[in-house]
Amino acid sequence: MTAHVGATPIVVGVEHTDAGRLAVVWAADEAARRGLPLRLVHALDWPIGADRHPESNPHRLTWGERFRATGVRALDEARESVATRHPRLSTESVLADGPPVAALREHSRDAAMIVLGSRRLSTAAEMLTTGGIAVPIAAHATCPVVVVREPEHTSGEPPTIVVAVDGARHSEPAVAYAFDEAARRGATIVAVNVRQMSGGLLAGLRMREEMQEGRLRLAETLAGWTEKYPSVPVHREVAVGHPVAVLREAAEHALCLVVGSRGRGGFAGLLLGSVGQGLIHHARCPLVIVPTSADETSADHD
């Protein structure tokens, strides 16, 4: 599909791994659905001594040249796979100098969304890969950030998009994204409100009140969107438990899971929150983290 003139691109971080290739496929499919160009970005985070010649043979390639050649090869492979899958998709490749976080933040300024791969590693190990850079990028990005840990589940019937709804204003951008994506893909929205309750004698007495509060928050948040997208089926769920575990389970067979972040600036952990960080490492489908504007974030805390 030819991109619209002046359209903002979908940016995908390219790495020479299975996780990186999966992210490129997802990003290319999404760009084709939206009629947007695709920008492939590979960051060259130079190792120490990369510009030195091997002492044994000064005529051989320097480590820096080899390092750059590896990046070029990763971009060429990605571009070739995109061209095979979507021959008419407008695609550009960027070999950026510097750490991946800095490079992708720079490209997020004019992006429709950023797409990253995430390997199945321990949390500690993922901090050294794109799974690790997802946290600072998602916390500060001004556009949605998609972390592709596993393929989307296209065999579900009906296809579903799960969105986390907590009733606060910062849920609105995530809900907007979910409805727009569901309309594009003929999917059903599964809107989930998670209630966290401590144990004890009063837990049973509070259960009915908590469930009612959850249903109220869902109704209030979704009211305008169901009117705007009358053809999109909506299923509402109120669940009790830890948000990461509940949302991970709810989205096990989904096209994607959509959550909101609380704005940008400051400490990444405080902005993205423990739920967003937990889902980056444990979601069972592509995770979409949608930022809230600074104004909306301030209003939530007034």
Side-chain angles (χ1 to χ4, degrees):
M1 178 181 294
T2 303
H4 301 301
V5 176
T8 55
I10 288 179
V11 173
V12 57
V14 174
E15 60 173 10
H16 204 61
T17 64
D18 289 342
R21 295 182 189 97
L22 187 62
V24 168
V25 168
W26 193 95
D29 289 350
E30 189 70 5
R33 277 190 291 268
R34 293 174 177 264
L36 297 177
L38 181 68
R39 182 182 297 164
L40 306 166
V41 178
H42 181 81
L44 291 173
D45 194 3
W46 293 93
I48 296 175
D51 58 341
R52 298 177 61 187
H53 284 278
E55 294 180 3
S56 60
N57 187 347
H59 299 293
R60 295 175 63 184
L61 293 176
T62 66
W63 287 113
E65 289 167 337
R66 293 179 181 180
F67 194 61
R68 183 173 291 274
T70 299
V72 170
R73 200 158 51 242
L75 285 171
D76 287 345
E77 279 189 14
R79 188 160 193 149
E80 183 177 342
S81 71
V82 171
T84 300
R85 193 174 181 90
H86 299 288
R88 298 178 58 199
L89 185 63
S90 175
T91 306
E92 66 170 320
S93 301
V94 177
L95 194 62
D97 286 314
V101 170
L104 290 166
R105 277 185 185 169
E106 180 67 25
H107 284 281
S108 75
R109 296 179 181 180
D110 68 339
M113 68 181 67
I114 299 175
V115 184
L116 306 169
S118 179
R119 308 176 195 180
R120 277 198 165 280
L121 302 173
S122 66
T123 300
E126 263 195 17
M127 292 306 292
L128 303 176
T129 70
T130 49
I133 70 172
V135 172
I137 289 175
H140 294 270
T142 58
C143 63
V145 174
V146 184
V147 182
V148 184
R149 184 181 183 85
E150 293 190 9
E152 58 185 23
H153 303 288
T154 57
S155 60
E157 191 58 45
T160 58
I161 290 174
V162 178
V163 59
V165 176
D166 65 7
R169 289 185 64 189
H170 74 264
S171 292
E172 289 287 338
V175 172
Y177 179 98
F179 271 89
D180 178 71
E181 189 74 358
R184 293 175 187 276
R185 308 195 62 178
T188 294
I189 291 284
V190 177
V192 182
N193 179 265
V194 183
R195 317 302 297 175
Q196 297 187 73
M197 294 179 59
S198 58
L201 296 176
L202 296 179
L205 298 177
R206 290 180 50 228
M207 178 66 75
R208 178 179 295 182
E209 180 181 336
E210 287 290 330
M211 298 299 284
Q212 180 60 32
E213 176 66 18
R215 287 190 287 269
L216 179 62
R217 290 196 175 194
L218 284 171
E220 290 176 345
T221 303
L222 299 176
W225 297 104
T226 54
E227 294 173 4
K228 184 175 181 179
Y229 294 92
S231 63
V232 174
V234 179
H235 178 69
R236 298 168 174 82
E237 291 185 6
V238 180
V240 176
H242 191 281
V244 173
V246 170
L247 293 170
R248 179 187 62 194
E249 193 68 25
E252 184 173 5
H253 302 293
L255 295 175
C256 63
L257 168 60
V258 188
V259 299
S261 68
R262 294 181 180 270
R264 53 189 187 275
F267 294 100
L270 292 175
L271 289 167
L272 184 56
S274 60
V275 174
Q277 293 190 51
L279 289 170
I280 283 174
H281 297 292
H282 299 290
R284 295 173 176 173
C285 65
L287 172 68
V288 184
I289 303 169
V290 184
T292 304
S293 72
D295 290 342
E296 289 172 319
T297 303
S298 300
D300 280 345
H301 294 286
D302 289 344

